[in-house]
Amino acid sequence: MLTADPVVEMVNGAVAIARRPVLRTVDLTVRSGEFVALMGANGSGKSTLVRALTGLRPLTTGSVRLFGTDLDHFHDWQRVGFVPQRGGAGSGVPASVWEVVASGRLTRRRLLHRLGRADRVAITDALEVVGLADRVRDGVATLSGGQQQRVLIARALAGEPDLFFLDEPTAGVDLPNQQVLADTLGTLSQRGATIVLVAHELGPMAPLIDRAVVMRDGRVSYDGPPLASEEVATAHLDGHQHHHHETVRHDHAPHVASPLEGGLG
């Protein structure tokens, strides 16, 4: 079968923050339908890489393409869902679970227009996928950390993107909620979504991963088959390979998206 099309491409990417290099000459390609884990120690550049890939952190050198379009000219943001780290998720203006998830439809409808039937169907489906259909009227601030993270995923899912970026969704989340998150991401993967997951440890998500990319000191030190968490620290360029699937595992891809900036507050 034909190799799946590239969805994310970074060539020679570099980022500096306050003149300090954070990413250094990074090359990365993610193909349609892949589930890629971005791994590495704290400070290795994982989150900065995701923010650079989504345009939230400018490159100092190099280039990024999404769905074959240079990032500078990419406007089809409803195809991209970004799930940030949960920090501060329950703060700010009080909002219900429904209101937060509904905000994920903003890229799909005209400003100030009321929610239509398609919007409500997408919101309901997103809530069901993350297992929060029975909590729609609850305030987000009343939920546990793991439940708040599921709300963030549902907000992204409501926009029906093709590509998901998730920045350490299991950080500070107990094991039962980690399993629900894994089940949720498994459902999205089966639907055909392309997923880039930043993770320090994979936990229940390990069986879902197609490929591991390990960052060290702002560089890609490994790109290949999935690794156990204890193998990440010793993964290095001697085993480096660009490992891309020759087939796409899923039957169809949804259209996906949510605002890339902002949290639940």
Side-chain angles (χ1 to χ4, degrees):
M1 296 180 67
L2 294 175
T3 301
D5 292 335
V7 171
V8 179
E9 299 168 274
M10 175 180 279
V11 177
N12 199 33
V15 169
I17 298 176
R19 299 186 179 182
R20 181 177 66 86
V22 179
L23 293 185
R24 312 162 189 260
T25 60
V26 172
D27 293 325
L28 178 68
T29 299
V30 179
R31 296 185 179 275
S32 179
E34 277 195 295
F35 195 137
V36 175
L38 265 179
M39 306 182 74
N42 291 335
S44 61
K46 306 184 302 292
S47 293
T48 299
L49 175 55
V50 164
R51 296 182 72 81
L53 292 171
T54 53
L56 299 176
R57 177 68 68 181
L59 294 177
T60 51
T61 62
S63 63
V64 171
R65 292 167 66 86
L66 296 178
F67 299 99
T69 300
D70 287 337
L71 193 61
D72 290 344
H73 301 103
F74 183 77
H75 303 293
D76 205 8
W77 288 107
Q78 72 267 19
R79 301 188 71 185
V80 182
F82 177 63
V83 181
Q85 293 186 27
R86 183 177 50 85
S91 63
V93 178
S96 70
V97 170
W98 173 272
E99 289 168 335
V100 171
V101 176
S103 72
R105 292 298 292 177
L106 290 174
T107 58
R108 288 279 172 185
R109 58 193 179 91
R110 293 171 63 185
L111 191 63
L112 303 181
H113 279 230
R114 299 178 70 175
L115 291 171
R117 183 179 180 279
D119 297 314
R120 294 182 181 278
V121 168
I123 294 164
T124 299
D125 176 67
L127 286 161
E128 288 176 350
V129 168
V130 302
L132 291 175
D134 60 339
R135 306 296 298 271
V136 293
R137 300 304 170 196
D138 293 357
V140 170
T142 69
L143 302 182
S144 70
Q147 290 168 332
Q148 289 184 9
Q149 190 64 63
R150 285 151 61 188
V151 171
L152 287 171
I153 292 175
R155 182 182 69 175
L157 177 58
E160 300 177 286
D162 301 308
L163 169 64
F164 278 93
F165 292 96
L166 300 103
D167 193 356
E168 301 217 37
T170 59
V173 174
D174 61 24
L175 189 57
N177 271 296
Q178 287 185 36
Q179 186 60 59
V180 175
L181 289 169
D183 293 342
T184 298
L185 296 181
T187 298
L188 300 184
S189 185
Q190 289 167 7
R191 290 181 175 190
T194 305
I195 300 173
V196 178
L197 169 74
V198 176
H200 191 66
E201 293 186 353
L202 295 175
M205 297 187 189
L208 303 174
I209 304 303
D210 295 319
R211 177 174 147 221
V213 175
V214 178
M215 299 294 295
R216 182 174 291 117
D217 297 326
R219 294 184 171 90
V220 174
S221 66
Y222 173 90
D223 183 349
L227 298 171
S229 296
E230 61 271 17
E231 296 177 305
V232 171
T234 56
H236 52 74
L237 286 168
D238 289 347
H240 181 87
Q241 57 180 301
H242 289 288
H243 177 76
H244 302 306
H245 287 277
E246 293 299 315
T247 60
V248 181
R249 299 166 298 127
H250 316 298
D251 294 327
H252 61 280
H255 288 309
V256 170
S258 85
L260 298 190
E261 286 279 24
L264 291 178

